[in-house]
Amino acid sequence: MARHLLTGSELTRADLDALLRRAEQLKVAPHSSRALDGRTVALIFEKPSTRTRLSFEAGVVELAGHPMILHRGDLQLSRGESVADTARVLSRHVAAVGVRTGPDELLKELSAVAVVPVFNMLTAGHHPCQALADLMTLRERFGGLHGLRVAYVGDGNNVARSLALLGATAGVEVVVASPPGYTLNGGADRARLVEDPAEAVRGAHAVYTDVWVSMGDEATAEQRRGDLAAYRIDDALLDRAAPGAVAMHCLPAHVGEEITAAVLYGPREAIWDQAENRRHAQKALLEWLVSG
Ligand code: CP
Ligand code: NVA
């Protein structure tokens, strides 16, 4: 049975701890591993991406492998070939398969048939690779994870769910503040849910947000901007967090919506390190996946 990363629940605390330590080593010595020597990793994108594509493509090359970028229209999948048959053929050629798509079920189906590792590069439900980079960034900033508190402010979406899930595995307390109708579900057992952003950020070491309109939510964009208007990270909200608190965002940012320019480009941001740490954390993940 190949190792997979569909939600992040596949990782024990010990796995996660080892993976984050390995990511730190790889950040210091980016070309020190040849874990994918001469092997190909398929990266299937059914949705747009900047960071995930850049970090995986560059990361696979740094591990001495070949990244094969595939968009939906490149595959017979787009003409009705089944997910299972696609998985069978992928397994004959590549060392691992990353997928960015909407339905979590597609990933489940693929991983049920694939005999090589399958990993989630973002679905409607989860974004575990983002959470790995987020935890790596928190470790860098605070020297450890256990006992940290992170407040997530905004839409209870895929990014919030993965942060809650993997944060809990690492011993981080995650508090999620959302308005009615946007509450985190299916991850909620791992996080404390509140409505008031000020309550969420009290005592928090990091204040995290994500876009109000995720990919696939475009039809309700205007409604969302109205409903989430009070869930913006600005300096006043950050001032209510613990002294030394950092601002986090998975990006892409919509300046003036979920975050102000003063925070995004200001002295308290950890955001651009999060974007860089995607590559280091995912290289450690790829090593873990292919060594299973
Ligand atoms: N944070 C993130 O996954 O960014 P992209 O959508 O640009 O890959
Ligand atoms: N929640 C966002 C994250 C983008 C990286 C989305 O799914 O579009």
Side-chain angles (χ1 to χ4, degrees):
M1 279 281 283
R3 283 179 175 167
H4 302 297
L5 185 88
L6 306 190
T7 65
S9 61
E10 300 85 354
L11 294 168
T12 64
R13 180 175 294 197
D15 292 333
L16 181 57
D17 191 58
L19 193 153
L20 295 174
R21 284 173 197 278
R22 181 63 184 144
E24 275 171 27
Q25 292 173 349
L26 290 166
K27 184 168 184 172
V28 175
H31 295 97
S32 58
S33 169
R34 298 189 64 83
L36 294 172
D37 201 356
R39 300 163 84 190
T40 298
V41 176
L43 301 168
I44 302 174
F45 288 95
E46 297 198 326
K47 290 180 173 187
S49 169
T50 298
R51 279 140 291 269
T52 305
R53 157 118 195 223
L54 285 167
S55 56
F56 267 111
E57 186 162 353
V60 169
V61 169
E62 287 179 1
L63 293 172
H66 172 73
M68 183 184 288
I69 306 292
L70 297 159
H71 299 286
R72 187 179 173 78
D74 297 337
L75 294 166
Q76 295 284 8
L77 192 60
S78 65
R79 295 182 57 250
E81 185 169 19
S82 71
V83 172
D85 285 356
T86 304
R88 289 186 180 96
V89 178
L90 281 163
S91 299
R92 298 289 178 115
H93 292 287
V94 304
V97 183
V99 185
R100 167 168 288 203
T101 187
D104 286 83
E105 292 68 33
L106 191 151
L107 232 80
K108 255 189 228 155
E109 223 183 311
L110 196 79
S111 66
V113 177
V115 300
V116 297
V118 172
F119 55 94
N120 185 342
M121 300 198 296
L122 182 145
T123 53
H126 299 274
H127 198 3
C129 291
Q130 180 66 52
L132 294 177
D134 300 340
L135 293 172
M136 179 181 179
T137 307
L138 286 166
R139 259 179 69 113
E140 279 179 344
R141 295 293 175 124
F142 297 100
L145 291 176
H146 194 80
L148 288 184
R149 181 182 295 180
V150 178
Y152 176 97
V153 175
D155 184 18
N157 62 15
N158 46 5
V159 169
R161 187 170 297 106
S162 291
L163 184 69
L165 197 153
L166 280 158
T169 303
V172 175
E173 187 196 352
V174 178
V175 186
V176 180
S178 316
Y182 296 84
T183 308
L184 178 65
N185 57 35
D189 51 322
R190 314 295 295 268
R192 185 155 70 83
L193 307 181
V194 300
E195 196 177 323
D196 179 11
E199 183 188 340
V201 306
R202 201 177 309 130
H205 302 92
V207 180
Y208 198 124
T209 194
D210 182 18
V211 295
W212 292 341
V213 184
S214 283
M215 293 180 277
D217 289 336
E218 290 78 7
T220 54
E222 275 320 301
Q223 175 80 38
R224 289 174 157 272
R225 288 191 186 102
D227 293 344
L228 287 152
Y231 290 76
R232 173 177 299 120
I233 297 191
D234 57 15
D235 278 308
L237 188 66
L238 263 182
D239 288 344
R240 291 170 170 266
V246 297
M248 300 181 77
H249 194 312
C250 61
L251 300 173
H254 292 75
V255 176
E257 290 191 18
E258 77 280 355
I259 193 165
T260 60
V263 172
L264 179 60
Y265 307 111
R268 291 188 279 187
E269 62 79 18
I271 295 167
W272 307 100
D273 282 349
Q274 283 176 266
E276 172 181 340
N277 286 338
R278 293 291 303 275
R279 176 163 45 91
H280 311 303
Q282 289 161 188
K283 284 171 67 183
L285 171 68
L286 286 165
E287 282 192 345
W288 180 79
L289 288 170
V290 300
S291 67

